[in-house]
Amino acid sequence: MPEAARTAAEIEERIARRRESLAVTLDEIAVRVHPSTIVGDAKARAAGAVDRTVGKAAFAVSRGAENVRAQLVSAEGGPRLDRVIPVAALAVAVTGLLVLSSRRRRR
């Protein structure tokens, strides 16, 4: 419909609809730029990043534990003594060194 053929009432109605549309848009913008919304969004992004990092770390630890278990346990489920005994001896030696070191520091 050409502009000249519109009545004053149609033009006023169109202006009113545009004002309502602009008011809704401005309200949405006001919510998006409100400090609490920005802080909430930043917290959500940070929490998501932490969750992803924790998930990756948990997976890596689980995979590492499975690798260690595969090295120390045979396919039948019994301990592989050729590998368990040196690891146990190393653990005892490290623990002994830590105990001796802490005793020397106390003196």
Side-chain angles (χ1 to χ4, degrees):
M1 186 182 305
E3 287 292 325
R6 292 187 182 174
T7 65
E10 290 173 337
I11 294 171
E12 287 177 5
E13 180 183 338
R14 185 174 178 202
I15 291 171
R17 281 194 312 256
R18 286 260 172 106
R19 281 185 182 155
E20 289 175 14
S21 174
L22 286 173
V24 169
T25 302
L26 288 174
D27 289 344
E28 290 174 0
I29 291 172
V31 168
R32 287 182 188 173
V33 300
H34 194 275
S36 64
T37 303
I38 293 171
V39 168
D41 290 346
K43 284 181 181 179
R45 283 193 304 275
V50 167
D51 288 344
R52 283 189 301 277
T53 303
V54 168
K56 288 178 183 178
F59 178 73
V61 167
S62 175
R63 186 175 46 194
E66 285 298 318
N67 289 340
V68 169
R69 184 177 187 282
Q71 295 294 320
L72 299 176
V73 178
S74 67
E76 296 82 31
R80 295 176 73 175
L81 295 180
D82 61 323
R83 294 194 179 171
V84 172
I85 291 173
V87 169
L90 180 65
V92 169
V94 168
T95 304
L97 289 174
L98 290 174
V99 168
L100 286 175
S101 174
S102 68
R103 285 187 181 176
R104 286 184 182 170
R105 288 183 194 167
R106 289 183 189 169
R107 291 182 189 187

